[in-house]
Amino acid sequence: MLRGLYTAYTGMRNEQYRMDIMSNNLANADTTGFKKEGSTSQAYAEVMAVKIKDVSENPNTPKRLGKMSLGVKIGETFTDFSQGSLRDTGNTYDIAIGGSGFFNIEFTNKAGETSTKYTRDGGFTITKDGYLVTKDGDYVLGENGRIQLSTTAGTTVFDRSGNIFQDDRLVASLKITDFEDTNYLTHYGETMWDAKEGAVEQDAEDAQIYQGYLEMSNASVVKEMVNMITISRQYESNQKMLTTFDESLEKSMTLSKV
């Protein structure tokens, strides 16, 4: 019966974890370049159930308890990198990527340390010196480093390959990077990613650049709300199970005193 209490508890804990992820997705449904997350669940591995100091074994040697199940184990959190919808803004420096790939950003933290981050959020602008930057002021990187544009040019055009033309003259090219395995990317804030050790870069061959557009979040408000309702019901089911076991234990204790 105590195992039943533990099983219900792990179920509630897992649903709370899932609810946190769904809530974050819902909160960022309108965030440019946001990629929704999900989670996995798995049964407790039998190695989690052990008995200690079994006299039939060597002293202090843990031993498995067969196929004993101890409820739900929280699995991994994963990111869905599928394409979000493109919204027409008409702004010259709003850039969206169609297909795979990420913009390269020169990010500087509060300690003054500089590193390269990756993002799908193409809401850019230019500084008074002509540098192409994010809305937070971090430099957008091109094939030759920071991108500096003329602030007096008559026209600025980004073609599908990421080449930048001002007054019909090629002045720079966006650096678009893809990865063999996006599992090596970790979130940095809501719309940027870090590449972990082992990440392998590759050319984003199918990437196309759309000027005057922004890629919206790929999280659907309706789907996230449905998921949250499902999670709430599963949480309530485990809660009722916990209450039932608790009442059964209380009756057992009362009867044992008679």
Side-chain angles (χ1 to χ4, degrees):
M1 192 172 293
L2 290 176
R3 281 178 55 192
L5 285 172
Y6 188 82
T7 300
Y9 155 72
T10 58
M12 293 171 66
R13 183 166 167 263
N14 181 66
E15 298 308 326
Q16 181 61 58
Y17 177 73
R18 293 178 62 203
M19 179 64 79
D20 291 342
I21 294 175
M22 294 301 108
S23 298
N24 185 60
N25 288 343
L26 191 59
N28 287 281
D30 292 326
T31 301
T32 306
F34 179 80
K35 299 300 180 183
K36 65 181 180 180
E37 293 186 314
S39 64
T40 61
S41 304
Q42 52 188 281
Y44 255 100
E46 61 181 30
V47 293
M48 301 296 290
V50 297
K51 54 182 180 178
I52 308 299
K53 297 182 180 178
D54 186 344
V55 294
S56 65
E57 300 290 336
N58 293 328
N60 300 318
T61 301
K63 183 181 178 182
R64 298 183 184 182
L65 288 179
K67 296 182 179 180
M68 181 178 183
S69 174
L70 292 178
V72 180
K73 179 179 182 297
I74 295 175
E76 299 178 347
T77 301
F78 61 89
T79 301
D80 180 357
F81 284 99
S82 61
Q83 177 82 47
S85 62
L86 302 186
R87 178 168 62 87
D88 185 358
T89 67
N91 295 328
T92 301
Y93 300 107
D94 282 346
I95 309 299
I97 299 176
S100 60
F102 300 85
F103 297 111
N104 288 245
I105 305 299
E106 183 183 299
F107 178 79
T108 303
N109 61 22
K110 294 180 180 179
E113 300 170 333
T114 300
S115 60
T116 300
K117 307 296 183 189
Y118 304 92
T119 187
R120 297 276 296 191
D121 183 359
F124 303 142
T125 185
I126 60 171
T127 66
K128 62 180 181 180
D129 297 322
Y131 286 103
L132 189 65
V133 297
T134 67
K135 54 192 172 186
D136 294 321
D138 297 306
Y139 293 103
V140 179
L141 296 178
E143 294 294 345
N144 298 313
R146 297 177 180 177
I147 297 175
Q148 187 173 22
L149 306 175
S150 170
T151 58
T152 59
T155 59
T156 300
V157 177
F158 294 74
D159 70 8
R160 287 286 187 266
S161 299
N163 298 314
I164 308 173
F165 296 86
Q166 288 194 302
D167 295 333
D168 297 325
R169 183 173 63 88
L170 178 64
V171 293
S173 297
L174 288 168
K175 184 176 182 180
I176 307 298
T177 301
D178 197 9
F179 294 88
E180 286 187 2
D181 189 349
T182 53
N183 288 319
Y184 285 94
L185 297 180
T186 57
H187 265 293
Y188 192 92
E190 296 298 346
T191 60
M192 289 200 294
W193 284 270
D194 254 332
K196 298 189 296 185
E197 183 178 354
V200 179
E201 296 184 5
Q202 63 181 18
D203 293 333
E205 296 180 354
D206 66 337
Q208 293 192 20
I209 301 302
Y210 294 88
Q211 184 178 15
Y213 289 84
L214 288 176
E215 181 186 5
M216 304 309 294
S217 168
N218 65 352
S220 166
V221 173
V222 175
K223 289 183 179 179
E224 299 308 316
M225 288 295 294
V226 170
N227 288 336
M228 291 177 73
I229 293 172
T230 302
I231 291 170
S232 296
R233 289 177 177 172
Q234 291 176 342
Y235 185 90
E236 290 171 0
S237 296
N238 282 286
Q239 193 174 37
K240 290 178 181 178
M241 185 185 300
L242 195 68
T243 302
T244 300
F245 280 117
D246 182 60
E247 292 174 350
S248 298
L249 283 171
E250 184 178 358
K251 290 179 182 180
S252 299
M253 293 297 291
T254 301
L255 291 173
S256 66
K257 293 179 181 179
V258 176

